[in-house]
């Protein structure tokens, strides 16, 4: 059964919760990022940001460099992924940086993956408020390499991205309900984005993603494949 009980509806996203006894997030491998543990806004967290080399590549290459992420244990195709995340701009941020963090899923050995990204500086809780056009891009679905960031904007404006009540320097709970080619994303218990045309309907890894000029924080990661007990 493919998560029939979940139903992938906004009403079943559930309230935003925090793990009572959070376990440290284990990282299996790094791609263009470095990580360390810290305490951020009262929560033990794994901090992630681009390596100096990868950040320089982003600055020098108009194409934006390569995908950067930290792979965590476990295989995943369908099910539920949840994580607390937060982000701030660091001192290497470019003008286009948006304090962006997110979750990668269905990652394969050829670095093909799908992801949901939260662009904190583009959120409705950012101060000062971003321009209206940027607020509509606060939550974004990406499939690499088939649907990159620019493609998501140009090929189907508004289909793979939405506004959200998010902002930098604060914790948010991201939940992804995934089955087949359908995804529902929720932030802090509120539905923010539905995607009906996921590109990669097969098992892969899960990873933590961080964008240009961003210091991302991750905690309370939960990966529950379809059919597994919580």
């Amino acid at each position: 059964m493919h998560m029939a009980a979940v139903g992938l509806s906004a009403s079943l996203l559930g309230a935003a919760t925090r793990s009572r006894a959070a376990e440290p997030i284990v990282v299996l491998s790094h791609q263009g990022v470095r990580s360390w543990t810290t305490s951020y806004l009262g929560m033990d967290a794994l901090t992630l940001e681009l390596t100096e080399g990868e950040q320089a590549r982003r600055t020098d290459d108009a194409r934006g460099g390569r995908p950067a992420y930290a792979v965590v244990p476990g295989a995943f195709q369908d099910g539920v992924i949840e994580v607390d995340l937060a982000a701030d701009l660091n001192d290497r941020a470019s003008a286009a940086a948006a304090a962006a963090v997110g979750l990668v899923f269905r990652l394969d050995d050829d670095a093909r993956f799908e992801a949901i990204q939260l662009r904190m500086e583009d959120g409705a809780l950012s101060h000062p408020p971003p321009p209206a056009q940027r607020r509509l891009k606060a939550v974004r679905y990406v499939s690499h390499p088939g649907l990159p960031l620019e493609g998501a904007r140009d090929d189907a404006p508004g289909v793979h991205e939405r506004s959200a009540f998010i902002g930098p320097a604060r914790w948010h709970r991201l939940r992804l309900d995934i089955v087949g080619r359908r995804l529902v994303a929720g932030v802090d218990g509120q539905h923010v984005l539905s995607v009906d045309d996921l590109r990669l309907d097969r098992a892969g890894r899960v990873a933590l993603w961080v964008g240009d000029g961003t210091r991302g924080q991750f905690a309370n990661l939960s990966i529950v494949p379809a059919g597994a007990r919580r």
Side-chain angles (χ1 to χ4, degrees):
M1 180 176 70
H2 276 276
M3 288 176 60
V6 173
L8 289 180
S9 66
S11 63
L12 293 179
L13 281 169
T17 60
R18 301 290 187 262
S19 172
R20 292 181 180 178
E23 296 183 0
I25 297 175
V26 175
V27 174
L28 296 179
S29 63
H30 297 78
Q31 168 69 41
V33 299
R34 64 190 188 105
S35 66
W36 66 96
T37 56
T38 189
S39 178
Y40 182 83
L41 297 179
M43 193 180 298
D44 292 337
L46 180 75
T47 302
L48 211 67
E49 67 179 11
L50 300 182
T51 63
E52 291 187 8
E54 182 60 32
Q55 184 64 59
R57 192 175 292 111
R58 302 287 180 99
T59 303
D60 298 339
D61 189 345
R63 294 171 296 180
R66 59 184 178 177
Y69 45 76
V71 180
V72 299
F76 179 89
Q77 180 173 354
D78 295 337
V80 179
I81 311 174
E82 294 184 83
V83 69
D84 292 316
L85 37 68
D88 304 90
L89 295 177
N90 61 26
D91 57 5
R92 296 179 290 170
S94 69
V101 289
L103 285 171
V104 166
F105 56 97
R106 296 176 175 173
L107 170 67
D108 67 15
D109 293 338
D110 296 318
R112 293 177 296 183
F113 63 84
E114 301 183 281
I116 292 293
Q117 302 168 352
L118 302 187
R119 298 167 57 86
M120 302 299 189
E121 290 285 340
D122 292 345
L125 301 181
S126 182
H127 296 285
Q133 185 175 11
R134 284 184 54 183
R135 288 201 301 272
L136 297 176
K137 306 175 187 301
V139 179
R140 178 173 292 166
Y141 163 70
V142 175
S143 179
H144 179 81
L147 188 65
L149 292 181
E150 291 302 323
R153 286 196 290 265
D154 298 337
D155 297 344
V159 174
H160 297 116
E161 53 200 6
R162 286 288 190 273
S163 60
F165 284 94
I166 60 175
R170 63 176 69 213
W171 284 107
H172 295 287
R173 183 73 173 172
L174 173 64
R175 172 173 170 140
L176 307 182
D177 288 79
I178 302 165
V179 57
R181 299 192 180 278
R182 170 96 167 136
L183 172 148
V184 171
V187 174
D188 299 332
Q190 301 298 314
H191 171 255
V192 292
L193 180 68
S194 296
V195 179
D196 296 318
D197 58 346
L198 296 179
R199 302 317 202 243
L200 306 174
D201 187 9
R202 43 98 180 117
R205 293 286 195 180
V206 173
L208 312 176
W209 180 90
V210 67
D212 167 40
T214 297
R215 179 165 292 175
Q217 314 290 343
F218 299 84
N220 300 316
L221 175 66
S222 170
I223 303 171
V224 182
R229 290 180 178 272
R230 279 187 172 273

